[in-house]
Amino acid sequence: MAHAHHTTDSHTVDFNVDPVVLELGQRFVDAGHELSLVGGPVRDLFLGRSSPDLDFTTDATPDQTVALIRKWADNFWEIGRAFGTIGLRKAGFQIEITTYRAEAYDPESRKPVVAFGASLTDDLLRRDFTINAMALRLPALELVDPFGGVRDLHASLLATPGAPETSFSDDPLRMMRAARFASQLGVSVHDDVRLAMTRMAERITIISAERVRDELVKLICGAQPRVGVDLLVETGLAEFVLPEVSALRLESDEHHRHKDVYQHSLQVLEQAASLEDGPDGPVPGPDFVLRFAALMHDVGKPATRRFEPGGAVSFRHHDMVGSKLTAKRMKTLRFDNDTIKAVARLVELHMRFYGYGDAGWSDSAVRRYVTDAGPLLDRLHKLTRSDVTTRNQRKAERLAFAYDDLEARIAALREQESLEAVRPDLDGGQIMTLLGLKPGPVVGRAYKFLLEERMEHGPLDQGEAEEKLRKWWEAQPEALAPVPADVDHVPTEES
């Protein structure tokens, strides 16, 4: 490892740089070019973090870069050549080398207009934030920091190298990145940056849904997601990327008869993140599905709010409405179907537990809870526990006690039977043999009857199951007559 001391106004930094970095720098310098380590990896040197992804910038053209690394790299690719970027792998590092740029977005377009620049300072000026606009000149390891990145890093401040309006015009996604860095790095945002985000929020609409989604995922999975979401909402960016969350800021009625749904949702997000498990647990953190469900769990409330006689406020069916709104927003943001289904299902199920504390449940109700949650059960446990933000200590303890009790009931039933895969005691083949049926809708109805029995009464042995099925069959008119067409339709979730 190579070390270099660098003294800033207030601080000496001992850079610890891999030999691969120096070797690459030497190759470029020997050929008469400049090469600098730039952006995130330089910032991470100050934060004491190391990354397997390294970004470099150079005055060499893409052709000259390829000539210099062709034989040296383990392998290389030219996908980003049009943007001046050559990618390569070497000794376990993923490396990108980009020609100096002066880049701008066409105000009406989503595509960057690429212009190659001639100087390192110009290249750093067009980067998103000062903490990412520092470079380490190679192989001398000289820090180049024309815009005060080290100062802002020490102050935990997010500022732009030039005017924030210019930076955000170049690439409006940088406004999302500001919120993402607030969540990931715990930095506060410079007033000028916050003001520019607020004024320019609508510009985010020219950015593709996929790029917005990727920043949102990183924000939600950051160390302080509440701070990032709050910044999106306060600047008005959320109006364009997550309007359902902005809408949670319900104006309280004059008697403040219900809590602030927006602040409650941020607290649930924070609490859910704190309940995540370690790498070997059932829900290793950061878990996007759990966190996003926590943020979105009450988005059905604004649409379902009713003021009841006597002054109460109700939100009937906000779980179902919220689930649909969540799925719709995630589709717009181009999430994959599995992630959409998982988050929407958690939102849909988040109220289910509340019947338990009041009345207690039969074994069949516990079985249904587990079956309906399926592989999301561990996340549902965490979401439901996180949803308690009451300041009333007795109420909070009562709910926690009731949920402990439910988890104990689930564990006890699990000992007796496999709850994850509740299936009828007879399969389709056995049903057809017993009733002398050919494959068809009637077999499905018999299967559904046995599944209900299994839910209600737990596992039966084969003899008991066959006896129940025969009795059910005798009571069916189909035993005597063909099935009318419209009876075949078993309602599904979609219908």
Side-chain angles (χ1 to χ4, degrees):
M1 289 288 172
H3 292 271
H5 286 296
H6 161 69
T7 309
T8 65
D9 300 348
S10 58
H11 209 71
T12 301
V13 181
D14 190 9
F15 289 131
N16 194 352
V17 179
D18 194 279
V20 164
V21 172
L22 298 177
E23 203 182 311
L24 186 58
Q26 198 62 57
R27 285 185 86 83
F28 274 73
V29 169
D30 290 349
H33 294 294
E34 298 176 1
L35 186 77
S36 299
L37 186 68
V38 71
V42 179
R43 178 193 74 220
D44 288 344
L45 285 171
F46 283 95
L47 297 173
R49 306 193 309 200
S50 66
S51 156
D53 297 345
L54 299 174
D55 293 323
F56 295 87
T57 188
T58 180
D59 60 349
T61 64
D63 285 343
Q64 291 168 325
T65 296
V66 169
L68 282 168
I69 58 96
R70 184 187 288 281
K71 292 200 170 66
W72 180 78
D74 297 335
N75 61 332
F76 73 96
W77 52 94
E78 303 181 54
I79 301 166
R81 174 188 274 274
F83 296 94
T85 302
I86 302 297
L88 63 115
R89 264 195 201 85
K90 175 76 176 183
F93 288 100
Q94 180 128 328
I95 291 170
E96 287 194 344
I97 303 173
T98 302
T99 305
Y100 293 157
R101 289 204 295 221
E103 180 190 68
Y105 260 75
D106 173 343
E108 302 311 316
S109 155
R110 292 164 182 241
K111 297 279 181 280
V113 181
V114 177
F116 293 141
S119 88
L120 177 58
T121 305
D122 288 350
D123 183 86
L124 295 176
L125 174 64
R126 65 153 201 89
R127 289 175 182 265
D128 56 1
F129 301 108
T130 58
I131 60 172
N132 297 328
M134 299 184 282
L136 208 54
R137 236 186 244 283
L138 300 170
L141 294 177
E142 172 207 342
L143 183 77
V144 181
D145 178 22
F147 306 108
V150 173
R151 176 199 65 216
D152 290 346
L153 206 51
H154 286 311
S156 280
L157 190 66
L158 205 60
T160 49
E165 288 79 5
T166 309
S167 181
F168 299 157
S169 281
D170 275 359
D171 183 355
L173 189 69
R174 290 171 171 180
M175 299 186 285
M176 289 290 296
R177 285 167 65 83
R180 186 249 284 193
F181 285 127
S183 166
Q184 281 183 334
L185 303 174
V187 291
S188 56
V189 175
H190 193 287
D191 289 345
D192 291 352
V193 170
R194 186 183 286 267
L195 191 61
M197 286 168 75
T198 308
R199 283 183 180 154
M200 299 176 69
E202 193 177 354
R203 292 273 314 192
I204 198 68
T205 55
I206 73 162
I207 299 294
S208 73
E210 290 82 356
R211 291 183 74 208
V212 170
R213 173 201 65 208
D214 291 348
E215 287 299 329
L216 182 64
V217 169
K218 288 173 184 167
L219 184 163
I220 296 292
C221 292
Q224 299 181 41
R226 179 178 192 153
V227 175
V229 172
D230 214 23
L231 186 57
L232 290 182
V233 171
E234 283 179 8
T235 55
L237 268 167
E239 296 286 349
F240 303 100
V241 297
L242 272 185
E244 297 78 8
V245 173
S246 295
L248 290 172
R249 294 177 298 175
L250 290 172
E251 64 302 334
S252 282
D253 58 294
E254 66 280 17
H255 304 299
H256 296 288
R257 283 179 299 213
H258 61 280
K259 61 184 170 215
D260 179 339
V261 185
Y262 172 64
Q263 290 300 334
H264 161 75
S265 300
L266 291 184
Q267 196 179 335
V268 175
L269 165 62
E270 211 168 38
Q271 289 176 178
S274 74
L275 291 181
E276 289 165 342
D277 303 304
D280 302 323
V283 186
D287 186 88
F288 175 78
V289 169
L290 171 63
R291 291 180 179 207
F292 201 55
L295 177 63
M296 302 295 278
H297 77 284
D298 274 349
V299 295
K301 278 192 168 175
T304 56
R305 181 168 66 154
R306 299 287 176 274
F307 295 100
E308 305 290 346
V313 179
S314 71
F315 302 98
R316 280 196 197 89
H317 306 303
H318 77 270
D319 41 2
M320 304 302 289
V321 173
S323 176
K324 289 196 170 76
L325 286 171
T326 299
K328 197 171 164 194
R329 175 55 45 201
M330 291 178 76
K331 274 196 187 89
T332 303
L333 287 167
R334 302 273 201 281
F335 277 93
D336 63 281
N337 283 337
D338 289 346
T339 307
I340 295 174
K341 275 187 177 152
V343 176
R345 188 71 163 150
L346 284 173
V347 173
E348 182 190 331
L349 292 174
H350 83 272
M351 292 297 290
R352 183 76 71 86
F353 157 73
Y354 287 96
Y356 185 83
D358 305 335
W361 285 355
S362 62
D363 282 354
S364 71
V366 175
R367 270 185 214 105
R368 279 176 203 285
Y369 189 74
V370 173
T371 307
D372 288 350
L376 297 168
L377 184 65
D378 289 305
R379 289 186 177 104
L380 183 58
H381 288 333
K382 293 182 192 306
L383 175 60
T384 307
R385 287 182 182 278
S386 305
D387 195 15
V388 180
T389 60
T390 174
R391 292 209 185 98
N392 178 334
Q393 200 56 39
R394 277 176 63 189
K395 186 178 174 188
E397 280 168 9
R398 193 175 74 240
L399 286 166
F401 179 77
Y403 209 87
D404 289 344
D405 187 56
L406 174 58
E407 287 204 46
R409 291 273 305 283
I410 290 169
L413 274 173
R414 268 200 177 129
E415 289 288 305
Q416 299 159 26
E417 47 186 288
S418 168
L419 285 186
E420 274 65 27
V422 173
R423 291 194 179 85
D425 299 288
L426 304 176
D427 64 26
Q430 292 169 303
I431 292 169
M432 289 190 283
T433 306
L434 188 71
L435 302 183
L437 292 170
K438 290 192 172 75
V442 185
V443 181
R445 295 180 61 197
Y447 187 92
K448 195 160 180 265
F449 162 73
L450 284 175
L451 183 60
E452 289 291 329
E453 288 294 309
R454 172 76 176 74
M455 286 281 192
E456 209 57 49
H457 305 295
L460 303 169
D461 65 40
Q462 189 168 342
E464 290 175 307
E466 287 178 353
E467 183 58 31
K468 286 211 166 191
L469 184 61
R470 279 201 191 90
K471 280 202 171 124
W472 172 82
W473 184 237
E474 284 161 14
Q476 300 302 306
E478 293 93 325
L480 307 170
V483 187
D486 62 338
V487 185
D488 303 350
H489 183 65
V490 177
T492 60
E493 279 179 53
E494 283 79 28
S495 57

